[in-house]
Amino acid sequence: MQITLPDNTTKTYDQPVSAAQVAADIGAGLAKAAIGAKVEGQLTDLNRPIDHDASLQIITKPRTDKKGLSKGDPDPDALYLLRHSCAHVMAEAIQRLWPNAQLAYGPPVDNGFYYDIALETPISSDDFEKIEAEMKKIIAEDRPFIRYELSPKEGLTKLEKEANKYKIDNAQRALDGGAANLSWYVTGQCDNPANPQAWEDLCMGPHVPSTAHIGAFKVTSIASSHWHGDVDSDRFQRVYGTAFFTEADLDQHLERLEEAKQRDHRAIGHKLGLFAIDEQVGPGLILWKPRGAMVRTLLQEFLQAELLRRGYDVVYTPHIGKIDLYKTSGHYPFYADSQFPTIKMREQAGGGGGEDEYLLKPMNCPHHIKIFASEPHSYRDLPIRLAEFGTVYRFEQSGELTGMTRVRGFTQDDAHIFCTQDQVQAEFKDTVELVQFVFKTFGFEDVHIRLSLRARGDDEKAAKYAGSPEVWGRAERELRQVLQDMGVSFTEETGEAAFYGPKVDFVVRDVIGRQWQLGTVQLDYNLPERFKIEYIGADNQAHRPVMIHRAPFGSMERFMAILIEHYAGAFPLWLAPEQVRVLPISEKFNAYGQKVLDALRAVKGVTGPDGFRATLDLSGGRVQAKIKVAQDLKTPYMLVVGGRDEQANTVAVRDRTRGDLGAMPLDAFLQKAKLEVDSRGQQTVTA
């Protein structure tokens, strides 16, 4: 067998070999650090035998600095192995403490893992310490994770004897999904797979080699959940935890969690009056309040101005469409599970009398295609760039709704480019540069680019993609070439493409180190073919255009939530819903305060005909109380005015972060504040 390593070197073996053996052949250091492997791109156990020619990547623990922190970004595959294994350790610890606990499901998730457990005795946060103590014992025992498999018949017989209906259900779902056998993982020695003498769980894997590889962990929270997410079904206790390779990494994560609580967009949004969610309106449906709507308007104006500069045309499309539109595009078959129910309407007399079926718009692209198709086009017209801030709808499960980050109605900053084959690379390059420009403007300097490709093979995931492998191959090569020509670093993720084409995703890191997938650019040869759209080429023949989908923000709701948390509600001056608040020190100076307000609002070229977004606080009371109110609303600048200011035509400037900047002429403040807005924060008001 020929084993191909990531650097394209090969090793040859005349009998099945494990990744652990290959690592040992490469070097003792690699063997010691190894915890898992990727064989042909599939994550697997370090000790699983490889019996065919294959590509192999060894997954290792991260290297650490002097403080014990992992160097660079953590490997998601390494964390997956670690956290999946720690979930098993936590489940075993819980069953030691509560022997009647029945396990349902325990996957790794972002930033940790959880286990759904059926248990009548309530588990509370007071129990976390004893669960963790039991977990430490299991880890100290350094017991191996050992996999064994049984045929479907043997496996189901075993599960029926154990009488855990949740595991029987999990097994049946695995078999229905195409699993040839059922697999278990034993934590400890397993002399007789049919009757292991150590703790075990039905599991696909993979895991780290032994419990000793689990470094630092914490049980973090408890919540309720339901079998299959059905509120009318069995209720579980969902115990959450997290795990890292070092205590330093865990401590840093917990510090970031605490910081994230302080920045939670839901709390800040409520405090600053940015948005609301009302149960009578419906969960996952956002009510933008005046201050939040102002920020949204500014975001839209900023991006739309840039789009017009780059040659885009603005369009508007309806919120619903006939079901056949989305069947043609493929959105209805591919996204049927996440759509609102269709709307059936019978036409009135004179309209044919038939019944039509409509769907709340899940995507804007079919509508933009119909705009393109509404009139003939020559190759001289292309590229045609159609942009819309279009609202779309998805029926997300109620348990998955989270503030503004996961909603049922959201507005995409959507655009679709229709171009010739020769224009693809230049247009795609321009969209990537647009996204980079947007993120830099908002202070997201750490941006990772991910090229998302289709899944390979004949499995269920690969079957979801529309179009031929040849078309996909060409599209993937073109995107890869554009990124290489631009000289940007990127990674490739197999199986993460959109159903109609490969895409480039942009993952940004905010000020407290969290990563968010935001903008996306997608190349599409399939939807033009499905809709049979065309243009007339230089040869006077009909040709199929290529489509590029792009959305720098992604959705206005999610982008707003991320901005709230990134800035902790303290929006930069150009984006703040209220930029300046004038604070007279007593009623005697209200008239001068009005004069200052009028001057602020008269400045042209800041936010339109009304100048700065400024207010005048005419409430009674001490000026210190007025300052606190403005500070709590995170108003960027407060102008305190009194007798001396009125005589000298000055203002005492207070910055929400830097504190008092001292008195300065009113005209000087106006000039400096306008410069800060125009530079989008590159220059600030100075004393």
Side-chain angles (χ1 to χ4, degrees):
M1 299 173 305
Q2 185 166 282
I3 304 298
T4 304
L5 301 173
D7 62 359
N8 288 324
T9 60
T10 60
K11 287 189 172 293
T12 303
Y13 296 88
D14 58 7
Q15 59 184 356
V17 64
S18 68
Q21 290 172 279
V22 177
D25 290 344
I26 295 173
L30 180 61
K32 183 177 180 180
I35 57 171
K38 268 189 167 179
V39 178
E40 292 293 293
Q42 297 297 314
L43 193 61
T44 186
D45 301 313
L46 192 63
N47 294 310
R48 287 282 296 277
I50 307 169
D51 59 3
H52 55 281
D53 290 352
S55 63
L56 173 66
Q57 176 188 348
I58 305 297
I59 307 299
T60 62
K61 295 179 181 178
R63 289 181 292 177
T64 57
D65 61 19
K66 293 180 180 179
K67 296 180 180 179
L69 289 168
S70 296
K71 292 182 178 179
D73 290 332
D75 181 347
D77 292 323
L79 285 176
Y80 182 96
L81 290 166
L82 173 73
R83 290 167 177 169
H84 195 182
S85 304
C86 198
H88 276 226
V89 170
M90 183 181 76
E92 180 180 358
I94 289 172
Q95 285 197 316
R96 284 185 179 185
L97 296 167
W98 292 278
N100 293 330
Q102 279 197 317
L103 305 178
Y105 185 57
V109 291
D110 288 345
N111 293 322
F113 55 86
Y114 69 79
Y115 231 109
D116 280 339
I117 297 166
L119 178 65
E120 291 185 4
T121 306
I123 298 175
S124 73
S125 58
D126 294 336
D127 298 312
F128 291 175
E129 190 173 326
K130 65 182 181 182
I131 295 172
E132 290 171 352
E134 206 64 38
M135 291 172 68
K136 287 178 181 177
K137 294 178 185 177
I138 297 168
I139 291 169
E141 292 164 4
D142 191 15
R143 289 153 51 202
F145 287 97
I146 298 177
R147 177 189 177 100
Y148 72 88
E149 294 185 0
L150 296 176
S151 69
K153 182 178 180 181
E154 292 173 314
L156 289 173
T157 298
K158 170 182 167 61
L159 291 171
E160 287 165 0
K161 288 180 180 178
E162 294 169 357
N164 182 331
K165 66 179 181 180
Y166 311 117
K167 292 300 179 182
I168 294 172
D169 181 74
N170 290 345
Q172 192 60 59
R173 288 157 69 91
L175 295 172
D176 292 343
N181 292 304
L182 297 173
S183 59
W184 278 258
Y185 276 80
V186 179
T187 311
Q189 294 302 321
C190 179
D191 297 327
N192 180 3
N195 186 26
Q197 299 302 309
W199 190 88
E200 68 164 13
D201 194 12
L202 177 75
C203 180
M204 294 173 60
H207 291 281
V208 296
S210 75
T211 60
H213 287 80
I214 299 171
F217 63 89
K218 187 171 183 62
V219 181
T220 55
S221 61
I222 183 84
S224 64
S225 62
H226 294 84
W227 194 15
H228 296 171
D230 181 357
V231 295
D232 296 324
S233 189
D234 294 9
R235 186 171 181 174
F236 297 136
Q237 297 184 70
R238 178 170 291 182
V239 185
Y240 286 94
T242 192
F244 290 86
F245 286 99
T246 70
E247 289 289 346
D249 284 344
L250 176 61
D251 291 342
Q252 182 185 70
H253 172 72
L254 296 176
E255 289 171 5
R256 286 177 173 174
L257 283 181
E258 188 58 37
E259 177 69 15
K261 287 181 182 178
Q262 303 302 316
R263 293 172 176 264
D264 190 322
H265 75 277
R266 292 165 293 187
I268 292 176
H270 174 73
K271 181 178 179 181
L272 300 186
L274 301 175
F275 71 95
I277 300 173
D278 189 287
E279 283 298 316
Q280 195 167 7
V281 174
L285 301 173
I286 303 301
L287 300 172
W288 293 78
K289 301 174 76 170
R291 292 172 67 89
M294 174 56 70
V295 179
R296 172 174 168 158
T297 300
L298 294 166
L299 290 172
Q300 182 167 331
E301 289 176 348
F302 155 73
L303 183 56
Q304 189 158 296
E306 185 64 23
L307 294 179
L308 293 174
R309 190 181 72 80
R310 292 174 181 254
Y312 285 78
D313 293 309
V314 176
V315 298
Y316 296 95
T317 60
H319 290 246
I320 64 173
K322 284 188 175 181
I323 192 71
D324 287 344
L325 176 69
Y326 308 113
K327 287 181 177 178
T328 301
S329 71
H331 289 99
Y332 184 71
F334 283 105
Y335 291 108
D337 292 342
S338 61
Q339 299 309 315
F340 280 86
T342 58
I343 305 166
K344 294 183 179 180
M345 299 179 63
R346 181 169 294 279
E347 295 287 353
Q348 298 299 316
E355 186 176 73
D356 287 323
E357 196 170 6
Y358 289 82
L359 184 68
L360 285 173
K361 180 171 61 174
M363 285 284 193
N364 297 303
C365 34
H367 296 251
H368 290 189
I369 290 172
K370 284 300 184 180
I371 290 177
F372 178 89
S374 66
E375 57 188 78
H377 297 287
S378 159
Y379 70 97
R380 295 186 182 91
D381 303 327
L382 274 54
I384 290 174
R385 308 179 185 97
L386 304 180
E388 176 183 16
F389 289 83
T391 303
V392 297
Y393 301 89
R394 310 279 174 78
F395 191 76
E396 302 285 359
Q397 297 298 313
S398 58
E400 297 175 342
L401 299 175
T402 309
M404 297 181 89
T405 59
R406 196 74 178 265
V407 293
R408 287 177 172 168
F410 56 94
T411 301
Q412 292 180 309
D413 57 318
D414 223 348
H416 297 92
I417 301 167
F418 301 85
C419 61
T420 68
Q421 178 64 54
D422 292 340
Q423 295 168 335
V424 165
Q425 293 198 21
E427 289 299 312
F428 203 88
K429 178 176 181 289
D430 184 71
T431 61
V432 172
E433 290 175 342
L434 170 65
V435 177
Q436 290 175 318
F437 164 74
V438 168
F439 290 158
K440 185 175 181 180
T441 300
F442 293 99
F444 294 114
E445 300 289 345
D446 189 346
V447 181
H448 170 67
I449 295 177
R450 183 175 65 207
L451 175 57
S452 297
L453 310 173
R454 75 193 189 287
R456 266 56 172 181
D458 299 321
D459 61 12
E460 183 179 357
K461 193 171 186 180
K464 77 174 186 177
Y465 298 104
S468 69
E470 292 76 20
V471 169
W472 273 89
R474 178 171 65 183
E476 291 174 351
R477 288 192 299 273
E478 287 174 328
L479 297 199
R480 189 180 293 110
Q481 188 64 54
V482 169
L483 296 176
Q484 290 172 346
D485 290 346
M486 293 180 69
V488 298
S489 60
F490 64 95
T491 59
E492 298 189 6
E493 295 290 336
T494 301
E496 296 301 321
F499 79 86
Y500 43 75
K503 60 178 179 169
V504 171
D505 293 320
F506 296 82
V507 181
V508 303
R509 191 187 301 274
D510 66 14
V511 292
I512 61 172
R514 296 172 302 179
Q515 290 186 319
W516 303 90
Q517 194 273 307
L518 287 178
T520 185
V521 184
Q522 303 165 359
L523 183 59
D524 182 5
Y525 285 91
N526 288 302
L527 284 184
E529 180 65 34
R530 293 173 78 99
F531 279 94
K532 307 300 181 187
I533 57 175
E534 57 187 33
Y535 67 92
I536 302 302
D539 58 1
N540 208 33
Q541 299 297 311
H543 296 269
R544 197 78 71 211
V546 183
M547 276 184 73
I548 296 174
H549 310 239
R550 52 112 288 236
F553 292 158
S555 89
M556 300 298 287
E557 287 75 10
R558 190 165 186 267
F559 193 75
M560 178 68 165
I562 293 166
L563 283 185
I564 291 171
E565 298 192 4
H566 182 64
Y567 295 130
F571 294 103
L573 183 64
W574 73 274
L575 200 55
E578 179 188 26
Q579 295 171 308
V580 186
R581 182 169 290 202
V582 184
L583 309 176
I585 62 173
S586 74
E587 292 182 5
K588 290 188 299 182
F589 307 108
N590 284 353
Y592 180 62
Q594 184 64 51
K595 177 183 175 181
V596 171
L597 179 67
D598 292 342
L600 287 163
R601 291 181 171 176
V603 175
K604 302 300 181 184
V606 181
T607 57
D610 292 332
F612 282 101
R613 297 182 294 280
T615 60
L616 173 63
D617 187 344
L618 297 178
S619 63
R622 295 167 58 86
V623 73
Q624 287 81 0
K626 296 181 180 182
I627 290 173
K628 185 178 185 306
V629 171
Q631 193 80 31
D632 288 345
L633 288 173
K634 301 186 185 292
T635 307
Y637 289 111
M638 291 147 270
L639 304 184
V640 180
V641 295
R644 292 180 181 178
D645 299 298
E646 185 173 23
Q647 293 175 4
N649 202 36
T650 61
V651 289
V653 181
R654 180 179 178 83
D655 178 276
R656 66 184 168 200
T657 303
R658 294 173 290 165
D660 292 325
L661 302 183
M664 66 179 67
L666 175 58
D667 287 345
F669 173 80
L670 297 177
Q671 182 181 5
K672 293 180 178 182
K674 185 177 185 303
L675 188 60
E676 182 172 339
V677 170
D678 291 343
S679 67
R680 295 199 177 97
Q682 297 302 307
Q683 300 188 51
T684 58
V685 173
T686 54

